[in-house]
Amino acid sequence: MTKPLNEYTIVEAARALRARECTVLELWDACRTAAEEKNPALNAYLELFDADDAAIAAAQKRIDAGDTSMLCGIPLAMKDNILVEGKTVSAASKMLEQYRATYDATVTTRLKKAGALFLGRTNMDEFAMGSSTEHSAFGPTRNPVDPSRIPGGSSGGSAAAVAAHLCIAALGSDTGGSIRQPAAHTGIVGLKPTYGAVSRNGLIALGSSLDQIGPLAKSAEDAEILFAAIRGHDPLDGTTIDEATYPPVALPEKLTIGIPRALIGQDGVDPALRTVFTETLSKLEAAGHTLVDIELPMSSSALAAYYVIMPAEVSANLARLDGMRYGHAARGKTLLDDYLLSRTEGFGSETKRRILLGTFVLSSGYIDAYYRKADAAREVLRAEYARAFAQCDVIAFPTTPSAAFRFGEKSGDPVAMYLEDVFTVTANLTGMPAISVPMGAVETEGARLPVGIHFTASHGGDTLALLAAREVETAR
Ligand code: GLN
Protein backbone atom coordinates (compact mmCIF):
# COMPACT_ATOMS: atom_id res chain seq x y z
CA MET A 1 0.00 0.00 0.00
CA THR A 2 1.49 3.29 -1.00
CA LYS A 3 -0.60 5.82 0.89
CA PRO A 4 0.86 7.57 3.95
CA LEU A 5 0.40 5.69 7.22
CA ASN A 6 -1.82 8.38 8.76
CA GLU A 7 -4.32 7.86 5.94
CA TYR A 8 -4.87 4.24 6.92
CA THR A 9 -8.12 2.96 8.34
CA ILE A 10 -8.00 0.91 11.55
CA VAL A 11 -8.30 -2.25 9.46
CA GLU A 12 -5.45 -1.24 7.15
CA ALA A 13 -3.21 -0.10 10.00
CA ALA A 14 -3.83 -3.28 12.01
CA ARG A 15 -2.92 -5.37 8.98
CA ALA A 16 0.21 -3.32 8.21
CA LEU A 17 1.40 -3.56 11.81
CA ARG A 18 1.08 -7.34 11.72
CA ALA A 19 2.69 -7.63 8.28
CA ARG A 20 5.66 -5.68 9.75
CA GLU A 21 5.16 -3.01 7.10
CA CYS A 22 5.34 -0.41 9.83
CA THR A 23 5.92 -0.18 13.55
CA VAL A 24 3.60 1.30 16.17
CA LEU A 25 6.04 4.19 16.57
CA GLU A 26 6.06 4.90 12.81
CA LEU A 27 2.26 4.92 12.75
CA TRP A 28 2.15 7.25 15.76
CA ASP A 29 4.78 9.55 14.22
CA ALA A 30 2.90 9.73 10.91
CA CYS A 31 -0.30 10.86 12.67
CA ARG A 32 1.52 13.19 15.01
CA THR A 33 3.51 14.84 12.18
CA ALA A 34 0.34 15.33 10.11
CA ALA A 35 -1.38 16.81 13.17
CA GLU A 36 1.52 19.19 13.86
CA GLU A 37 1.52 20.34 10.25
CA LYS A 38 -2.18 20.82 9.72
CA ASN A 39 -3.62 21.58 13.12
CA PRO A 40 -2.59 25.25 13.21
CA ALA A 41 -4.87 25.85 10.20
CA LEU A 42 -7.70 23.50 11.21
CA ASN A 43 -7.80 23.80 15.02
CA ALA A 44 -9.11 20.23 15.23
CA TYR A 45 -7.04 19.48 18.34
CA LEU A 46 -7.00 21.70 21.40
CA GLU A 47 -3.95 19.82 22.63
CA LEU A 48 -1.63 17.20 21.22
CA PHE A 49 -0.46 14.77 23.89
CA ASP A 50 3.22 13.83 24.22
CA ALA A 51 4.05 10.35 22.99
CA ASP A 52 3.56 7.80 25.75
CA ASP A 53 6.72 5.80 25.07
CA ALA A 54 5.77 3.03 27.49
CA ALA A 55 2.33 2.57 25.88
CA ILE A 56 3.86 2.58 22.37
CA ALA A 57 6.46 -0.02 23.39
CA ALA A 58 3.83 -2.14 25.15
CA ALA A 59 1.58 -2.10 22.06
CA GLN A 60 4.50 -3.11 19.83
CA LYS A 61 5.37 -5.93 22.20
CA ARG A 62 1.80 -7.21 22.13
CA ILE A 63 1.71 -7.16 18.33
CA ASP A 64 5.08 -8.93 18.14
CA ALA A 65 3.71 -11.57 20.50
CA GLY A 66 0.75 -12.19 18.19
CA ASP A 67 -1.94 -10.11 19.94
CA THR A 68 -4.93 -9.80 17.61
CA SER A 69 -6.68 -6.76 19.17
CA MET A 70 -7.48 -4.55 16.16
CA LEU A 71 -6.95 -1.40 18.20
CA CYS A 72 -3.55 -2.33 19.55
CA GLY A 73 -1.11 0.44 18.58
CA ILE A 74 -3.79 2.54 16.84
CA PRO A 75 -3.55 6.32 17.47
CA LEU A 76 -6.94 7.82 18.26
CA ALA A 77 -8.27 11.30 19.02
CA MET A 78 -10.56 12.00 21.98
CA LYS A 79 -13.26 14.65 22.17
CA ASP A 80 -12.41 17.12 24.90
CA ASN A 81 -15.30 15.99 27.11
CA ILE A 82 -14.05 12.42 27.67
CA LEU A 83 -11.73 11.92 30.63
CA VAL A 84 -8.18 10.65 30.18
CA GLU A 85 -6.47 10.47 33.56
CA GLY A 86 -3.91 13.23 34.15
CA LYS A 87 -4.86 15.17 31.02
CA THR A 88 -6.71 18.46 30.81
CA VAL A 89 -10.35 18.01 29.84
CA SER A 90 -12.05 21.34 29.21
CA ALA A 91 -15.22 20.62 27.20
CA ALA A 92 -13.93 23.60 25.18
CA SER A 93 -15.03 25.92 27.97
CA LYS A 94 -13.13 28.60 29.86
CA MET A 95 -14.86 27.17 32.89
CA LEU A 96 -12.77 23.99 32.74
CA GLU A 97 -9.68 25.37 30.96
CA GLN A 98 -7.42 24.29 33.83
CA TYR A 99 -9.30 21.15 34.85
CA ARG A 100 -7.38 17.89 34.89
CA ALA A 101 -9.07 14.50 34.75
CA THR A 102 -8.46 12.53 37.93
CA TYR A 103 -9.57 9.23 36.42
CA ASP A 104 -10.14 7.52 33.09
CA ALA A 105 -13.60 7.39 31.55
CA THR A 106 -14.78 3.80 31.15
CA VAL A 107 -14.33 4.09 27.38
CA THR A 108 -10.75 5.30 27.95
CA THR A 109 -10.01 2.34 30.23
CA ARG A 110 -11.40 -0.04 27.63
CA LEU A 111 -9.42 1.51 24.79
CA LYS A 112 -6.22 1.47 26.85
CA LYS A 113 -6.80 -2.22 27.56
CA ALA A 114 -7.18 -2.81 23.83
CA GLY A 115 -3.78 -1.15 23.34
CA ALA A 116 -5.02 2.05 21.66
CA LEU A 117 -2.97 5.25 21.91
CA PHE A 118 -4.24 8.81 22.38
CA LEU A 119 -2.95 11.60 20.16
CA GLY A 120 -4.79 14.44 21.79
CA ARG A 121 -8.07 16.06 22.73
CA THR A 122 -10.27 17.57 20.06
CA ASN A 123 -12.17 20.82 19.79
CA MET A 124 -15.93 20.99 20.21
CA ASP A 125 -18.79 23.37 20.86
CA GLU A 126 -18.64 24.40 24.52
CA PHE A 127 -20.01 21.50 26.62
CA ALA A 128 -21.15 19.96 23.30
CA MET A 129 -23.87 22.52 22.64
CA GLY A 130 -23.94 23.43 18.99
CA SER A 131 -23.87 22.19 15.42
CA SER A 132 -20.83 23.95 14.01
CA THR A 133 -18.00 24.01 16.62
CA GLU A 134 -18.26 27.79 16.49
CA HIS A 135 -19.28 27.80 20.17
CA SER A 136 -15.86 26.60 21.37
CA ALA A 137 -14.18 29.01 23.79
CA PHE A 138 -10.93 28.27 21.93
CA GLY A 139 -11.87 29.23 18.38
CA PRO A 140 -13.74 27.26 15.72
CA THR A 141 -12.48 24.18 13.90
CA ARG A 142 -12.29 24.41 10.11
CA ASN A 143 -13.71 21.83 7.75
CA PRO A 144 -10.78 20.09 5.99
CA VAL A 145 -12.91 19.72 2.84
CA ASP A 146 -13.39 23.51 2.62
CA PRO A 147 -11.72 25.59 5.35
CA SER A 148 -14.14 28.47 4.78
CA ARG A 149 -16.88 26.24 6.19
CA ILE A 150 -17.83 24.72 9.52
CA PRO A 151 -17.01 21.03 10.15
CA GLY A 152 -20.33 20.49 11.93
CA GLY A 153 -20.67 20.06 15.65
CA SER A 154 -20.40 19.55 18.38
CA SER A 155 -17.73 16.87 17.73
CA GLY A 156 -16.28 19.01 14.94
CA GLY A 157 -12.69 18.61 16.12
CA SER A 158 -12.89 14.81 16.15
CA ALA A 159 -14.55 14.78 12.72
CA ALA A 160 -11.97 17.14 11.21
CA ALA A 161 -9.10 15.16 12.76
CA VAL A 162 -10.38 11.94 11.19
CA ALA A 163 -11.26 13.49 7.82
CA ALA A 164 -7.88 15.26 7.53
CA HIS A 165 -6.06 12.08 8.64
CA LEU A 166 -4.63 13.66 11.77
CA CYS A 167 -5.50 10.36 13.54
CA ILE A 168 -6.78 6.95 12.49
CA ALA A 169 -10.18 7.32 14.19
CA ALA A 170 -11.77 9.24 17.05
CA LEU A 171 -14.41 9.25 19.73
CA GLY A 172 -17.12 11.85 20.04
CA SER A 173 -20.32 12.30 21.98
CA ASP A 174 -23.84 12.65 20.63
CA THR A 175 -26.70 14.25 22.53
CA GLY A 176 -28.75 15.39 19.56
CA GLY A 177 -26.57 14.62 16.57
CA SER A 178 -23.06 15.67 17.54
CA ILE A 179 -21.34 12.58 16.15
CA ARG A 180 -23.48 12.05 13.04
CA GLN A 181 -23.82 15.64 11.86
CA PRO A 182 -20.07 16.51 11.81
CA ALA A 183 -19.39 13.08 10.27
CA ALA A 184 -21.78 14.00 7.44
CA HIS A 185 -20.19 17.42 6.92
CA THR A 186 -16.65 16.06 6.73
CA GLY A 187 -17.32 12.91 4.71
CA ILE A 188 -16.76 10.23 7.34
CA VAL A 189 -18.80 7.66 9.32
CA GLY A 190 -20.30 8.47 12.74
CA LEU A 191 -22.29 6.13 14.99
CA LYS A 192 -24.57 7.14 17.87
CA PRO A 193 -25.04 3.86 19.74
CA THR A 194 -28.23 2.69 21.47
CA TYR A 195 -28.65 4.63 24.72
CA GLY A 196 -26.96 2.53 27.38
CA ALA A 197 -24.79 0.53 24.98
CA VAL A 198 -21.73 2.59 25.94
CA SER A 199 -20.91 3.78 29.45
CA ARG A 200 -21.16 7.51 30.14
CA ASN A 201 -18.90 7.24 33.17
CA GLY A 202 -16.20 9.85 32.63
CA LEU A 203 -18.09 11.78 29.97
CA ILE A 204 -18.78 15.39 31.01
CA ALA A 205 -22.56 15.24 31.24
CA LEU A 206 -24.70 17.40 28.97
CA GLY A 207 -28.14 15.81 28.65
CA SER A 208 -27.86 12.65 30.71
CA SER A 209 -30.90 10.92 29.23
CA LEU A 210 -29.66 11.65 25.70
CA ASP A 211 -25.83 11.47 25.75
CA GLN A 212 -23.91 8.60 24.18
CA ILE A 213 -20.23 8.26 23.32
CA GLY A 214 -19.52 6.80 19.89
CA PRO A 215 -16.99 6.44 17.10
CA LEU A 216 -16.08 8.75 14.21
CA ALA A 217 -14.21 6.72 11.63
CA LYS A 218 -13.07 6.43 8.03
CA SER A 219 -15.31 3.40 7.35
CA ALA A 220 -18.31 1.59 8.81
CA GLU A 221 -16.06 -1.36 9.60
CA ASP A 222 -13.75 0.88 11.63
CA ALA A 223 -16.75 2.34 13.47
CA GLU A 224 -17.86 -1.18 14.33
CA ILE A 225 -14.40 -2.09 15.67
CA LEU A 226 -14.32 0.97 17.93
CA PHE A 227 -17.89 0.42 19.06
CA ALA A 228 -17.14 -3.22 19.92
CA ALA A 229 -14.22 -2.09 22.07
CA ILE A 230 -16.13 0.50 24.10
CA ARG A 231 -19.60 -1.04 24.46
CA GLY A 232 -20.94 -3.14 27.26
CA HIS A 233 -22.36 -3.05 30.75
CA ASP A 234 -20.50 -0.91 33.26
CA PRO A 235 -21.19 -1.00 37.00
CA LEU A 236 -20.19 2.68 37.09
CA ASP A 237 -23.09 3.68 34.82
CA GLY A 238 -26.42 2.29 35.97
CA THR A 239 -28.04 3.07 32.62
CA THR A 240 -25.76 0.73 30.67
CA ILE A 241 -27.42 -2.28 29.14
CA ASP A 242 -26.68 -5.77 30.30
CA GLU A 243 -26.03 -7.37 26.94
CA ALA A 244 -27.50 -10.66 28.10
CA THR A 245 -30.89 -8.96 27.90
CA TYR A 246 -30.20 -7.97 24.30
CA PRO A 247 -29.95 -11.05 22.12
CA PRO A 248 -27.87 -10.52 18.97
CA VAL A 249 -29.94 -8.99 16.19
CA ALA A 250 -30.55 -11.20 13.17
CA LEU A 251 -28.87 -9.59 10.18
CA PRO A 252 -30.94 -10.04 7.02
CA GLU A 253 -29.28 -10.81 3.71
CA LYS A 254 -31.09 -7.83 2.15
CA LEU A 255 -32.48 -4.88 4.06
CA THR A 256 -35.94 -3.42 4.04
CA ILE A 257 -35.41 0.32 4.28
CA GLY A 258 -38.20 2.62 5.48
CA ILE A 259 -38.34 6.05 3.81
CA PRO A 260 -40.35 8.81 5.52
CA ARG A 261 -41.02 10.75 2.31
CA ALA A 262 -42.98 13.57 3.96
CA LEU A 263 -40.13 14.28 6.36
CA ILE A 264 -37.56 14.41 3.58
CA GLY A 265 -39.80 16.59 1.40
CA GLN A 266 -40.17 19.33 3.99
CA ASP A 267 -39.05 22.89 3.39
CA GLY A 268 -35.49 23.66 4.36
CA VAL A 269 -34.02 20.49 2.89
CA ASP A 270 -31.61 21.42 0.10
CA PRO A 271 -32.97 20.06 -3.23
CA ALA A 272 -29.45 19.14 -4.40
CA LEU A 273 -28.93 17.08 -1.25
CA ARG A 274 -32.33 15.45 -1.76
CA THR A 275 -31.20 14.42 -5.25
CA VAL A 276 -28.05 12.74 -3.89
CA PHE A 277 -30.26 10.98 -1.33
CA THR A 278 -32.66 9.71 -4.00
CA GLU A 279 -29.76 8.49 -6.13
CA THR A 280 -28.31 6.65 -3.14
CA LEU A 281 -31.65 4.95 -2.51
CA SER A 282 -31.75 3.86 -6.17
CA LYS A 283 -28.30 2.32 -5.81
CA LEU A 284 -29.41 0.45 -2.69
CA GLU A 285 -32.49 -0.78 -4.52
CA ALA A 286 -30.35 -1.90 -7.46
CA ALA A 287 -28.22 -3.85 -4.96
CA GLY A 288 -31.32 -5.83 -3.97
CA HIS A 289 -32.58 -3.95 -0.92
CA THR A 290 -36.26 -3.10 -0.62
CA LEU A 291 -37.57 0.44 -0.08
CA VAL A 292 -40.88 0.98 1.69
CA ASP A 293 -42.68 4.26 2.33
CA ILE A 294 -43.36 4.95 5.99
CA GLU A 295 -45.02 7.75 7.94
CA LEU A 296 -43.45 9.48 10.92
CA PRO A 297 -45.88 12.36 11.50
CA MET A 298 -44.72 13.10 15.07
CA SER A 299 -41.15 13.63 13.91
CA SER A 300 -42.02 17.23 13.12
CA SER A 301 -42.34 17.81 16.88
CA ALA A 302 -39.08 16.10 17.81
CA LEU A 303 -36.90 19.18 17.49
CA ALA A 304 -39.19 21.24 19.73
CA ALA A 305 -39.25 18.46 22.35
CA TYR A 306 -35.47 18.13 22.20
CA TYR A 307 -34.89 21.85 22.71
CA VAL A 308 -36.97 21.72 25.89
CA ILE A 309 -35.59 18.50 27.39
CA MET A 310 -31.98 19.06 26.48
CA PRO A 311 -31.64 22.56 28.06
CA ALA A 312 -33.54 21.30 31.12
CA GLU A 313 -30.92 18.61 31.66
CA VAL A 314 -28.13 21.07 30.87
CA SER A 315 -29.34 23.47 33.54
CA ALA A 316 -29.18 20.68 36.12
CA ASN A 317 -25.88 19.16 34.96
CA LEU A 318 -23.98 22.43 34.75
CA ALA A 319 -25.12 23.60 38.19
CA ARG A 320 -22.05 21.94 39.69
CA LEU A 321 -19.82 24.38 37.79
CA ASP A 322 -20.19 27.12 40.33
CA GLY A 323 -16.70 28.36 41.09
CA MET A 324 -16.66 26.30 44.30
CA ARG A 325 -16.62 22.67 43.32
CA TYR A 326 -15.13 22.69 39.86
CA GLY A 327 -13.69 25.01 37.36
CA HIS A 328 -13.14 28.72 36.96
CA ALA A 329 -13.42 30.54 40.28
CA ALA A 330 -13.86 34.30 40.50
CA ARG A 331 -14.11 36.00 43.86
CA GLY A 332 -16.44 38.92 44.61
CA LYS A 333 -17.56 40.58 47.82
CA THR A 334 -20.16 37.99 48.80
CA LEU A 335 -20.76 34.31 48.21
CA LEU A 336 -23.51 35.17 45.72
CA ASP A 337 -21.03 37.40 43.87
CA ASP A 338 -18.63 34.47 43.69
CA TYR A 339 -21.24 32.27 42.03
CA LEU A 340 -22.43 34.96 39.66
CA LEU A 341 -18.97 36.10 38.64
CA SER A 342 -17.59 32.59 38.18
CA ARG A 343 -20.47 31.54 35.97
CA THR A 344 -20.65 34.83 34.08
CA GLU A 345 -16.95 34.71 33.23
CA GLY A 346 -16.67 30.94 32.77
CA PHE A 347 -19.58 30.20 30.43
CA GLY A 348 -20.03 31.28 26.82
CA SER A 349 -23.24 32.76 25.47
CA GLU A 350 -24.81 29.58 24.07
CA THR A 351 -24.23 27.78 27.36
CA LYS A 352 -25.87 30.65 29.24
CA ARG A 353 -28.81 30.67 26.83
CA ARG A 354 -29.46 26.97 27.44
CA ILE A 355 -29.11 27.25 31.20
CA LEU A 356 -31.68 30.06 31.19
CA LEU A 357 -34.00 28.15 28.87
CA GLY A 358 -33.64 24.97 30.91
CA THR A 359 -34.23 26.70 34.22
CA PHE A 360 -37.33 28.32 32.75
CA VAL A 361 -38.91 25.10 31.44
CA LEU A 362 -38.33 23.39 34.79
CA SER A 363 -39.65 26.26 36.89
CA SER A 364 -42.86 25.78 38.82
CA GLY A 365 -45.74 27.00 36.71
CA TYR A 366 -44.01 26.08 33.45
CA ILE A 367 -42.82 22.54 34.06
CA ASP A 368 -46.21 21.07 33.09
CA ALA A 369 -46.60 23.24 30.03
CA TYR A 370 -43.10 22.61 28.64
CA TYR A 371 -40.93 19.95 30.25
CA ARG A 372 -43.61 17.33 30.97
CA LYS A 373 -45.18 17.79 27.55
CA ALA A 374 -41.82 17.38 25.83
CA ASP A 375 -41.10 14.33 27.95
CA ALA A 376 -44.44 12.81 26.94
CA ALA A 377 -43.53 13.39 23.29
CA ARG A 378 -40.63 10.99 23.72
CA GLU A 379 -43.06 8.12 24.37
CA VAL A 380 -45.16 9.07 21.37
CA LEU A 381 -42.04 9.13 19.17
CA ARG A 382 -40.96 5.74 20.49
CA ALA A 383 -44.36 4.27 19.67
CA GLU A 384 -44.33 5.84 16.20
CA TYR A 385 -40.91 4.36 15.43
CA ALA A 386 -41.92 0.96 16.87
CA ARG A 387 -44.84 0.92 14.41
CA ALA A 388 -42.51 1.85 11.56
CA PHE A 389 -40.06 -0.91 12.50
CA ALA A 390 -42.83 -3.47 12.03
CA GLN A 391 -42.46 -2.66 8.31
CA CYS A 392 -38.71 -2.19 7.90
CA ASP A 393 -35.23 -3.01 9.32
CA VAL A 394 -33.86 0.52 9.23
CA ILE A 395 -35.19 4.00 8.51
CA ALA A 396 -33.29 6.28 6.13
CA PHE A 397 -33.17 10.02 5.66
CA PRO A 398 -30.40 12.56 5.08
CA THR A 399 -28.27 13.33 8.16
CA THR A 400 -28.51 17.10 7.67
CA PRO A 401 -30.87 19.39 5.76
CA SER A 402 -27.95 20.87 3.79
CA ALA A 403 -24.19 20.58 3.33
CA ALA A 404 -21.66 22.42 5.53
CA PHE A 405 -22.38 26.14 5.80
CA ARG A 406 -19.96 29.05 6.11
CA PHE A 407 -18.67 30.49 9.37
CA GLY A 408 -21.04 33.04 10.83
CA GLU A 409 -23.95 32.00 8.59
CA LYS A 410 -26.01 30.64 11.49
CA SER A 411 -24.13 31.51 14.65
CA GLY A 412 -26.11 34.74 15.10
CA ASP A 413 -29.44 32.96 14.81
CA PRO A 414 -29.91 30.21 17.41
CA VAL A 415 -33.08 28.86 15.82
CA ALA A 416 -31.40 28.48 12.41
CA MET A 417 -28.61 26.58 14.17
CA TYR A 418 -31.11 24.38 16.04
CA LEU A 419 -32.83 23.50 12.76
CA GLU A 420 -29.62 21.76 11.70
CA ASP A 421 -30.56 18.98 14.13
CA VAL A 422 -33.97 18.30 12.65
CA PHE A 423 -33.05 14.80 11.44
CA THR A 424 -30.76 13.67 14.23
CA VAL A 425 -32.48 14.43 17.56
CA THR A 426 -35.14 11.72 17.41
CA ALA A 427 -32.59 8.94 17.84
CA ASN A 428 -31.49 10.57 21.11
CA LEU A 429 -35.02 11.25 22.34
CA THR A 430 -35.97 7.61 21.75
CA GLY A 431 -32.60 6.01 22.63
CA MET A 432 -32.33 4.29 19.27
CA PRO A 433 -29.02 3.68 17.48
CA ALA A 434 -28.28 5.77 14.40
CA ILE A 435 -25.43 6.18 11.96
CA SER A 436 -24.33 8.66 9.31
CA VAL A 437 -22.36 7.40 6.32
CA PRO A 438 -21.14 9.44 3.32
CA MET A 439 -23.51 9.22 0.34
CA GLY A 440 -21.83 11.63 -2.07
CA ALA A 441 -21.39 15.35 -2.46
CA VAL A 442 -23.30 18.44 -3.50
CA GLU A 443 -21.79 21.24 -5.57
CA THR A 444 -22.08 24.58 -3.81
CA GLU A 445 -20.29 27.73 -4.95
CA GLY A 446 -17.56 25.77 -6.65
CA ALA A 447 -16.97 23.38 -3.74
CA ARG A 448 -17.90 19.69 -3.61
CA LEU A 449 -19.27 19.24 -0.12
CA PRO A 450 -19.86 15.79 1.38
CA VAL A 451 -23.33 14.83 2.60
CA GLY A 452 -24.43 11.85 4.67
CA ILE A 453 -27.26 9.34 4.69
CA HIS A 454 -28.64 8.53 8.13
CA PHE A 455 -30.00 5.16 9.27
CA THR A 456 -31.94 4.61 12.47
CA ALA A 457 -32.45 1.07 13.78
CA SER A 458 -34.63 -0.13 16.63
CA HIS A 459 -33.33 -0.27 20.20
CA GLY A 460 -30.27 -2.53 20.44
CA GLY A 461 -30.01 -2.80 16.65
CA ASP A 462 -26.63 -1.06 16.33
CA THR A 463 -25.28 -3.85 14.13
CA LEU A 464 -28.23 -3.38 11.75
CA ALA A 465 -27.43 0.33 11.41
CA LEU A 466 -23.78 -0.56 10.80
CA LEU A 467 -24.81 -3.13 8.20
CA ALA A 468 -26.88 -0.52 6.36
CA ALA A 469 -23.86 1.82 6.38
CA ARG A 470 -21.66 -0.91 4.92
CA GLU A 471 -24.23 -1.52 2.18
CA VAL A 472 -24.05 2.18 1.23
CA GLU A 473 -20.27 1.97 1.07
CA THR A 474 -20.53 -1.02 -1.26
CA ALA A 475 -23.29 0.45 -3.44
CA ARG A 476 -21.79 3.94 -3.69
N1 GLN B 1 -26.62 20.31 17.97
C1 GLN B 1 -27.29 19.75 19.09
C2 GLN B 1 -27.34 20.75 20.21
O1 GLN B 1 -26.77 21.79 20.07
C3 GLN B 1 -26.67 18.45 19.49
C4 GLN B 1 -25.54 18.58 20.42
C5 GLN B 1 -24.93 17.24 20.75
O2 GLN B 1 -25.31 16.23 20.21
N2 GLN B 1 -24.05 17.26 21.73
O3 GLN B 1 -27.94 20.50 21.21
Side-chain angles (χ1 to χ4, degrees), residues 128-131 154 173-178 206 306-307 310 354 421:
M129 286 175 255
S131 309
S154 64
S173 67
D174 191 311
T175 305
S178 282
L206 183 63
Y306 173 82
Y307 275 100
M310 189 273 185
R354 303 237 189 157
D421 308 325

Side-chain angles (χ1 to χ4, degrees), residues 382-401:
R382 271 191 207 110
E384 179 168 290
Y385 267 70
R387 277 195 300 278
F389 283 123
Q391 283 172 266
C392 59
D393 300 309
V394 289
I395 294 171
F397 37 76
T399 310
T400 59

Side-chain angles (χ1 to χ4, degrees), residues 290-368:
T290 308
L291 307 181
V292 293
D293 285 349
I294 56 161
E295 306 268 334
L296 297 171
M298 260 304 281
S299 288
S300 55
S301 305
L303 196 67
Y306 173 82
Y307 275 100
V308 170
I309 289 169
M310 189 273 185
E313 296 191 12
V314 164
S315 71
N317 274 327
L318 298 193
R320 74 193 69 161
L321 300 163
D322 59 2
M324 302 288 149
R325 283 170 283 197
Y326 296 94
H328 176 73
R331 296 287 167 249
K333 288 201 187 76
T334 63
L335 182 62
L336 184 62
D337 279 351
D338 292 357
Y339 286 134
L340 293 176
L341 271 175
S342 301
R343 287 168 72 81
T344 301
E345 292 175 7
F347 288 140
S349 58
E350 181 62 23
T351 302
K352 285 175 189 154
R353 179 179 296 122
R354 303 237 189 157
I355 292 172
L356 289 174
L357 207 61
T359 308
F360 173 75
V361 300
L362 289 175
S363 59
S364 110
Y366 292 103
I367 188 164
D368 287 329

